[in-house]
CSV table of all heavy atoms in Angstrom, one decimal:
chain,number,residue,atom,x,y,z
A,136,THR,N,3.7,-18.6,1.1
A,136,THR,CA,2.3,-18.4,1.2
A,136,THR,C,1.6,-17.9,-0.1
A,136,THR,O,0.6,-18.4,-0.5
A,136,THR,CB,2.0,-17.4,2.3
A,136,THR,OG1,2.6,-17.8,3.5
A,136,THR,CG2,0.5,-17.2,2.6
A,138,LEU,N,2.9,-18.4,-3.0
A,138,LEU,CA,3.1,-19.5,-4.0
A,138,LEU,C,1.9,-20.4,-3.8
A,138,LEU,O,1.3,-20.8,-4.8
A,138,LEU,CB,4.4,-20.2,-3.7
A,138,LEU,CG,5.0,-21.0,-4.9
A,138,LEU,CD1,5.4,-20.1,-6.0
A,138,LEU,CD2,6.2,-21.8,-4.4
A,139,LEU,N,1.5,-20.7,-2.6
A,139,LEU,CA,0.3,-21.5,-2.3
A,139,LEU,C,-1.0,-20.9,-2.8
A,139,LEU,O,-1.8,-21.5,-3.4
A,139,LEU,CB,0.2,-21.8,-0.8
A,139,LEU,CG,-0.9,-22.7,-0.3
A,139,LEU,CD1,-0.7,-24.1,-0.9
A,139,LEU,CD2,-1.0,-22.8,1.2
A,140,LEU,N,-1.1,-19.6,-2.6
A,140,LEU,CA,-2.3,-18.9,-3.0
A,140,LEU,C,-2.4,-18.9,-4.5
A,140,LEU,O,-3.5,-19.2,-5.1
A,140,LEU,CB,-2.3,-17.4,-2.5
A,140,LEU,CG,-3.5,-16.6,-2.8
A,140,LEU,CD1,-4.7,-17.1,-2.1
A,140,LEU,CD2,-3.3,-15.1,-2.4
A,141,ALA,N,-1.3,-18.7,-5.2
A,141,ALA,CA,-1.3,-18.7,-6.7
A,141,ALA,C,-1.6,-20.1,-7.2
A,141,ALA,O,-2.2,-20.3,-8.2
A,141,ALA,CB,0.0,-18.2,-7.2
A,142,SER,N,-1.1,-21.1,-6.5
A,142,SER,CA,-1.3,-22.5,-6.9
A,142,SER,C,-2.8,-22.9,-6.9
A,142,SER,O,-3.1,-23.9,-7.5
A,142,SER,CB,-0.5,-23.4,-6.0
A,142,SER,OG,-1.1,-23.6,-4.7
A,143,THR,N,-3.6,-22.2,-6.2
A,143,THR,CA,-5.1,-22.5,-6.2
A,143,THR,C,-5.6,-22.4,-7.7
A,143,THR,O,-6.6,-23.0,-8.0
A,143,THR,CB,-5.9,-21.6,-5.3
A,143,THR,OG1,-5.8,-20.2,-5.7
A,143,THR,CG2,-5.5,-21.7,-3.9
A,144,LEU,N,-5.0,-21.6,-8.5
A,144,LEU,CA,-5.4,-21.5,-9.9
A,144,LEU,C,-5.4,-22.9,-10.6
A,144,LEU,O,-6.1,-23.1,-11.6
A,144,LEU,CB,-4.5,-20.6,-10.7
A,144,LEU,CG,-4.8,-19.1,-10.6
A,144,LEU,CD1,-3.6,-18.3,-11.1
A,144,LEU,CD2,-6.1,-18.7,-11.3
A,146,MET,N,-5.8,-25.8,-9.0
A,146,MET,CA,-6.5,-26.9,-8.3
A,146,MET,C,-7.9,-27.1,-9.0
A,146,MET,O,-8.3,-26.4,-9.8
A,146,MET,CB,-6.8,-26.4,-6.8
A,146,MET,CG,-5.5,-26.3,-6.1
A,146,MET,SD,-5.8,-25.7,-4.4
A,146,MET,CE,-4.1,-25.6,-3.8
A,147,GLU,N,-8.5,-28.2,-8.5
A,147,GLU,CA,-9.9,-28.5,-9.0
A,147,GLU,C,-10.8,-27.4,-8.7
A,147,GLU,O,-10.9,-26.9,-7.6
A,147,GLU,CB,-10.3,-29.8,-8.3
A,147,GLU,CG,-11.7,-30.3,-8.8
A,147,GLU,CD,-12.3,-31.3,-7.9
A,147,GLU,OE1,-11.6,-31.9,-7.0
A,147,GLU,OE2,-13.5,-31.6,-8.1
A,149,GLY,N,-10.4,-24.4,-9.6
A,149,GLY,CA,-9.6,-23.2,-9.7
A,149,GLY,C,-9.6,-22.4,-8.4
A,149,GLY,O,-10.0,-22.9,-7.4
A,151,PRO,N,-10.4,-19.3,-5.7
A,151,PRO,CA,-11.7,-18.8,-5.2
A,151,PRO,C,-12.3,-17.8,-6.1
A,151,PRO,O,-11.6,-17.0,-6.8
A,151,PRO,CB,-11.4,-18.2,-3.8
A,151,PRO,CG,-10.1,-18.9,-3.4
A,151,PRO,CD,-9.4,-19.2,-4.6
A,167,GLY,N,-15.4,-23.6,-4.0
A,167,GLY,CA,-14.7,-24.8,-4.5
A,167,GLY,C,-13.7,-25.3,-3.4
A,167,GLY,O,-13.6,-24.7,-2.4
A,168,PRO,N,-13.1,-26.5,-3.7
A,168,PRO,CA,-12.1,-27.0,-2.7
A,168,PRO,C,-11.0,-26.1,-2.3
A,168,PRO,O,-10.4,-26.2,-1.2
A,168,PRO,CB,-11.6,-28.3,-3.4
A,168,PRO,CG,-12.4,-28.5,-4.6
A,168,PRO,CD,-13.1,-27.2,-4.9
A,169,SER,N,-10.6,-25.2,-3.2
A,169,SER,CA,-9.4,-24.4,-3.0
A,169,SER,C,-9.6,-23.4,-1.8
A,169,SER,O,-8.6,-22.8,-1.4
A,169,SER,CB,-9.0,-23.7,-4.2
A,169,SER,OG,-10.0,-22.7,-4.6
A,170,VAL,N,-10.8,-23.2,-1.4
A,170,VAL,CA,-11.1,-22.2,-0.4
A,170,VAL,C,-10.3,-22.5,0.9
A,170,VAL,O,-9.9,-21.6,1.6
A,170,VAL,CB,-12.6,-22.0,-0.1
A,170,VAL,CG1,-13.2,-23.2,0.6
A,170,VAL,CG2,-12.8,-20.7,0.7
A,171,THR,N,-10.1,-23.8,1.2
A,171,THR,CA,-9.4,-24.2,2.4
A,171,THR,C,-8.0,-23.6,2.4
A,171,THR,O,-7.4,-23.2,3.4
A,171,THR,CB,-9.4,-25.7,2.5
A,171,THR,OG1,-10.7,-26.2,2.3
A,171,THR,CG2,-8.8,-26.2,3.8
A,172,TYR,N,-7.3,-23.8,1.2
A,172,TYR,CA,-6.0,-23.3,1.1
A,172,TYR,C,-5.9,-21.7,1.2
A,172,TYR,O,-5.0,-21.2,1.8
A,172,TYR,CB,-5.4,-23.7,-0.3
A,172,TYR,CG,-5.2,-25.2,-0.4
A,172,TYR,CD1,-6.3,-26.0,-0.9
A,172,TYR,CD2,-4.1,-25.9,0.1
A,172,TYR,CE1,-6.2,-27.3,-1.0
A,172,TYR,CE2,-4.0,-27.2,0.0
A,172,TYR,CZ,-5.1,-28.0,-0.5
A,172,TYR,OH,-5.0,-29.3,-0.6
A,173,PHE,N,-6.9,-21.1,0.6
A,173,PHE,CA,-7.1,-19.7,0.7
A,173,PHE,C,-7.1,-19.2,2.2
A,173,PHE,O,-6.5,-18.3,2.6
A,173,PHE,CB,-8.3,-19.2,-0.1
A,173,PHE,CG,-8.9,-17.9,0.3
A,173,PHE,CD1,-8.2,-16.7,-0.1
A,173,PHE,CD2,-10.0,-17.8,1.1
A,173,PHE,CE1,-8.7,-15.5,0.3
A,173,PHE,CE2,-10.5,-16.6,1.5
A,173,PHE,CZ,-9.9,-15.4,1.1
A,174,ILE,N,-8.0,-19.9,2.9
A,174,ILE,CA,-8.1,-19.6,4.4
A,174,ILE,C,-6.8,-19.7,5.1
A,174,ILE,O,-6.4,-18.8,5.9
A,174,ILE,CB,-9.2,-20.5,5.0
A,174,ILE,CG1,-10.6,-20.1,4.5
A,174,ILE,CG2,-9.1,-20.4,6.5
A,174,ILE,CD1,-11.7,-21.1,4.9
A,175,PHE,N,-6.1,-20.8,4.8
A,175,PHE,CA,-4.8,-21.0,5.4
A,175,PHE,C,-3.8,-19.8,5.0
A,175,PHE,O,-3.1,-19.3,5.9
A,175,PHE,CB,-4.2,-22.3,5.0
A,175,PHE,CG,-2.8,-22.6,5.6
A,175,PHE,CD1,-2.6,-22.7,7.0
A,175,PHE,CD2,-1.7,-22.7,4.8
A,175,PHE,CE1,-1.4,-22.9,7.5
A,175,PHE,CE2,-0.4,-22.9,5.3
A,175,PHE,CZ,-0.2,-23.0,6.7
A,176,CYS,N,-3.8,-19.4,3.8
A,176,CYS,CA,-3.0,-18.3,3.3
A,176,CYS,C,-3.3,-17.0,4.1
A,176,CYS,O,-2.4,-16.3,4.5
A,176,CYS,CB,-3.1,-18.1,1.8
A,176,CYS,SG,-2.4,-19.4,0.8
A,177,ILE,N,-4.6,-16.7,4.2
A,177,ILE,CA,-4.9,-15.5,5.0
A,177,ILE,C,-4.4,-15.6,6.4
A,177,ILE,O,-3.9,-14.6,6.9
A,177,ILE,CB,-6.5,-15.3,5.0
A,177,ILE,CG1,-7.0,-15.1,3.5
A,177,ILE,CG2,-6.9,-14.2,5.9
A,177,ILE,CD1,-6.6,-13.7,3.0
A,178,HIS,N,-4.5,-16.7,7.0
A,178,HIS,CA,-4.0,-16.8,8.4
A,178,HIS,C,-2.5,-16.5,8.5
A,178,HIS,O,-2.0,-15.8,9.3
A,178,HIS,CB,-4.2,-18.3,8.9
A,178,HIS,CG,-5.5,-18.5,9.6
A,178,HIS,ND1,-5.9,-17.7,10.7
A,178,HIS,CD2,-6.5,-19.3,9.4
A,178,HIS,CE1,-7.2,-18.1,11.1
A,178,HIS,NE2,-7.5,-19.1,10.3
A,179,VAL,N,-1.7,-17.1,7.5
A,179,VAL,CA,-0.3,-16.9,7.6
A,179,VAL,C,0.1,-15.4,7.2
A,179,VAL,O,1.0,-14.9,7.9
A,179,VAL,CB,0.4,-17.9,6.6
A,179,VAL,CG1,1.9,-17.7,6.7
A,179,VAL,CG2,0.1,-19.3,7.0
A,180,LEU,N,-0.6,-14.8,6.3
A,180,LEU,CA,-0.4,-13.4,5.9
A,180,LEU,C,-0.6,-12.6,7.2
A,180,LEU,O,0.1,-11.6,7.4
A,180,LEU,CB,-1.2,-13.0,4.8
A,180,LEU,CG,-1.0,-13.8,3.5
A,180,LEU,CD1,-2.0,-13.2,2.4
A,180,LEU,CD2,0.4,-13.7,3.0
A,237,LEU,N,-14.0,-21.5,7.8
A,237,LEU,CA,-13.4,-22.9,7.8
A,237,LEU,C,-14.4,-23.8,8.6
A,237,LEU,O,-14.6,-24.9,8.1
A,237,LEU,CB,-12.1,-22.9,8.6
A,237,LEU,CG,-11.2,-24.2,8.5
A,237,LEU,CD1,-10.7,-24.3,7.1
A,237,LEU,CD2,-10.1,-24.2,9.5
A,241,HIS,N,-16.1,-27.0,6.8
A,241,HIS,CA,-15.7,-28.4,7.1
A,241,HIS,C,-16.3,-29.0,8.3
A,241,HIS,O,-16.2,-30.2,8.5
A,241,HIS,CB,-14.1,-28.4,7.3
A,241,HIS,CG,-13.4,-28.2,6.0
A,241,HIS,ND1,-13.3,-29.1,5.1
A,241,HIS,CD2,-12.6,-27.1,5.6
A,241,HIS,CE1,-12.6,-28.7,4.1
A,241,HIS,NE2,-12.2,-27.5,4.4
Side-chain angles (χ1 to χ4, degrees):
T136 305
L138 206 62
L139 183 63
L140 185 63
S142 75
T143 58
L144 278 168
M146 295 178 184
E147 184 196 345
S169 66
V170 70
T171 309
Y172 296 92
F173 157 77
I174 289 169
F175 178 65
C176 290
I177 293 291
H178 272 303
V179 181
L180 300 179
L237 190 74
H241 290 289

